[in-house]
């Protein structure tokens, strides 16, 4: 139930020796057509990894026939040599695919590249290129699970999702312990569909979907150099859904994967939804939710099972959203401990013993709302991010 | 060597029972004149505590004859009752001072109020008001040390500083485990001088000083509801320094206190200076320094003694500052591990075993620079902020 569920795709994941653990670290997803349309969204970080710069160019061409992904190295902040290495990886991928059992009209310019791992070090090309060749040999119509495994870094579980529609489907795989716009623990996502759709329709569907899913999860507020979300369409189902139908299916898969990312975020002990209601605009709701999600004092309080609504209100106070301090209501797990900006229901009524926490903030300025998903700030987060370079 | 070093000031600190520990928790600083000019800067948080709203009004009057401070409760997010309590505290302070050994022409409107502690709870006025009376009785010409003790919360040491000039001086006391614009562990600072200076000169000196001191320390990026910095001038030295001389002395005291705040920040194991050089503007330098200072992945890496320059570059990439990713140089403790946006000197050369860390970022875009001081993100930070409400 992953990238190879939609018809027209093969995938693989192999161990090339990039990870010291010996686990799978090179993945390949190949679109066998008949269509090769695609869309992509990339990190907003101005320091972009070589594979991001490369894949942005590939996407401009409008055709993606294969995606090659590696864990064990981000190839970010690696200068011109890093970019040459990405280019060589795409060239090699195209070459081995042209020589494979299903010869394709494929050039390097049709190959998107994704990398994840430590920033600032060159990739061991002597291991990566043979790994790409092995991945090409290992391509299978049910290879999506192996591919999802090969892109894991600090992930504890592989992440896949699929939605089935009448005669067509959307599948996806993801890795990441952080998040899109925010996440240094790079988020990589490959989505596939056997629907038939032009590049503009795919692009609109992907942007609609990421805006309300990956863009609304926030593990630690840190933006990666490598975040990439790709959507490839093979048209192999011969079904052409409407733009709305496609966007809805892609959003559903993205939502599923986003929740899996948050559930597996580094060191998290809480899965927190911040529901902002009564906002004057959606942008206000997102800003408030994101600001609360990034506040270390809120995050440590929740780790400590402390319903500290004062820290939430103080975080709201740092935003530019329309609100009056003496009108804001805050609930934690449905207990309205703050009404009109001051203490209301008894904080001891808030049960924070479970993993799931919902913070509801009513700005009482309008009808707009948004939900941001985040995690707490725990000892395990500090441990994981201080003990290992990543 | 504190707020009572400059002539014309008395101070005190007493235990009124607001702190469960029984430690001092109410402080008073009184200006005996002959001048009563003053200036103040306050938190930029839109959710402002009642004492901040009150003191802002007092400062508009241009005369401050006394400052009453309490720990053990922030009186923030406490609604109209909270504001009434602050007003009552100022009224009571004025009344007991009028009845004291040095009767003064003092009204509530001449009394600034500062509070620090847990947000969202009303102050125990039945303890606070008798505490104010006791503090008035305890006022002494060398009471500054007791006052500095009475405003401590999670501070492990009381913080005072003084600079002596020819015939005049500036003294100060501070509390806070966080910082000004950023800091939920409220920062309170009272500065005194026996120089003679008008309100505009004081205001300019204070803004000049805070801009390059308290505004450039950043413990956890969280902005308090209560941060307050006050400067009171008695004119008792009969010396009128130039505006530049006064600003320089106030800046020196503020720098000293700011460094003490960072050194005592909650759970910190590192004292980190982020020197941003080669910026196109001072604003760019400050933005880059502050963004790096707030990045949890940078902060945890430094806690782990990991010279992870890739995380620093990734943080720079999220700013709007003018820079090219392939031109930035980064040094940690003077080892240039990143040149032109890629790996340079051997990271194993970086010695992070000590408490002091200097990160130098050269944007190579211009001549402007700024330094931001911060701390690491440690297990102790998580513990302190998850185990206790504050």
């Amino acid at each position: 139930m992953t990238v190879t569920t939609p018809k027209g795709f093969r995938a693989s994941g192999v161990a090339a020796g990039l990870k010291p653990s010996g686990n799978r670290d090179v993945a390949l997803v190949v679109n066998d057509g008949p269509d090769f349309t695609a869309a992509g969204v990339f990190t907003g970080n101005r320091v972009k990894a070589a594979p991001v710069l490369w894949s942005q160019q590939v996407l401009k061409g409008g055709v993606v026939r294969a995606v090659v992904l590696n864990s064990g190295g981000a190839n970010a902040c690696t200068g011109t040599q890093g970019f040459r290495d990405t280019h060589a990886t795409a060239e090699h991928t195209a070459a081995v695919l042209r020589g494979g059992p299903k010869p394709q009209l494929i050039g390097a310019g049709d190959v998107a590249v994704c990398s994840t791992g430590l920033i600032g070090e060159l990739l061991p090309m002597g291991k990566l290129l043979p790994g790409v060749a092995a991945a090409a040999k290992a391509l299978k119509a049910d290879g999506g699970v192996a591919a999802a495994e090969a892109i894991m870094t600090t992930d504890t579980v592989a992440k896949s999702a699929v939605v089935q529609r009448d005669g067509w489907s959307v599948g996806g795989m993801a890795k990441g312990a952080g998040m899109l716009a925010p996440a240094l623990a790079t988020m990589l996502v490959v989505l596939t569909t056997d629907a038939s759709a032009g590049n503009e329709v795919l692009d609109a569907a992907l942007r609609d979907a990421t805006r309300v899913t990956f863009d609304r999860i926030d593990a630690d507020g840190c933006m990666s150099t490598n975040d990439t979300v790709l959507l490839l369409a093979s048209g192999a189902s011969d079904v052409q859904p409407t733009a709305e139908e496609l966007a809805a299916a892609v959003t559903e898969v993205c939502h599923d994967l986003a929740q899996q990312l948050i559930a597996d975020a580094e060191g998290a002990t809480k899965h927190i939804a911040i529901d902002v209601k009564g906002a004057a605009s959606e942008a206000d709701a997102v800003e408030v939710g994101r600001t609360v999600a990034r506040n270390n004092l809120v995050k440590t309080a929740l780790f400590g099972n402390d319903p500290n609504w004062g820290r939430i209100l103080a975080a709201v106070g740092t935003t530019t959203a329309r609100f009056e301090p003496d009108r804001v209501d805050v609930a934690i797990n449905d207990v309205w401990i703050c009404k009109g900006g001051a203490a209301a229901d008894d904080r001891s009524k808030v049960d924070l013993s479970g993993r799931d926490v919902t913070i509801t903030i009513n700005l009482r300025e309008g009808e707009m709302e948004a939900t941001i998903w985040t995690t707490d700030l725990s000892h395990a987060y500090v441990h994981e991010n201080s003990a290992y370079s990543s």
Side-chain angles (χ1 to χ4, degrees), chain A residues 103-304:
Chain A
Q104 303 197 25
L105 276 168
I106 183 170
D110 309 324
V111 179
V113 182
C114 300
S115 300
T116 177
L118 185 63
I119 297 177
E121 298 194 349
L122 292 169
L123 290 174
M125 296 301 287
K127 293 178 180 173
L128 178 56
L129 296 186
V132 170
K137 274 198 192 125
L139 284 167
K140 285 195 297 186
D142 61 353
V145 172
E149 267 176 37
I151 59 174
M152 291 167 67
T153 54
T154 55
D155 305 71
T156 63
V157 290
K159 291 145 186 115
S160 293
V162 69
V163 302
Q164 296 279 3
R165 293 291 193 256
D166 190 15
W168 60 284
S169 61
V170 177
M173 67 178 188
K175 68 81 44 181
M179 37 86 63
L180 187 60
L184 225 130
T186 299
M187 199 191 69
L188 298 181
V189 179
V190 178
L191 305 164
T192 56
T193 180
D194 48 15
S196 180
N199 282 320
E200 279 108 64
V201 170
L202 287 178
D203 188 66
L206 186 60
R207 283 176 198 285
D208 273 11
T210 55
R211 191 176 63 80
V212 295
T213 56
F214 298 121
D215 274 345
R216 295 202 180 163
I217 59 175
D218 200 314
D220 58 17
C222 299
M223 195 191 292
S224 162
T225 50
N226 290 56
D227 289 332
T228 301
V229 184
L230 300 173
L231 170 59
L232 280 57
S234 70
S237 70
D238 239 359
V239 179
Q240 185 170 348
T242 67
E244 291 69 30
E245 286 167 344
L246 183 68
V250 172
T251 300
E252 209 175 299
V253 172
C254 288
H255 180 77
D256 188 337
L257 290 171
Q259 293 301 314
Q260 292 182 49
L261 291 178
I262 277 289
D264 194 29
E266 284 175 354
T269 76
K270 301 286 186 194
H271 190 128
I272 303 162
I274 302 172
D275 286 335
V276 183
K277 298 180 185 302
S281 68
E282 187 178 340
D284 273 9
V286 170
E287 184 192 356
V288 166
R290 198 180 283 292
T291 301
V292 173
R294 290 185 181 174
N295 188 285
N296 279 353
L297 291 169
V298 172
K299 291 163 92 80
T300 46
L302 291 169
F303 170 61

Side-chain angles (χ1 to χ4, degrees), chain A residues 60-83:
Chain A
K60 279 186 187 159
V63 168
V64 177
R65 290 171 183 262
V67 184
V68 58
L69 312 95
N70 74 275
S71 51
N75 197 5
C77 306
T78 45
T80 50
Q81 185 58 46
F83 194 78

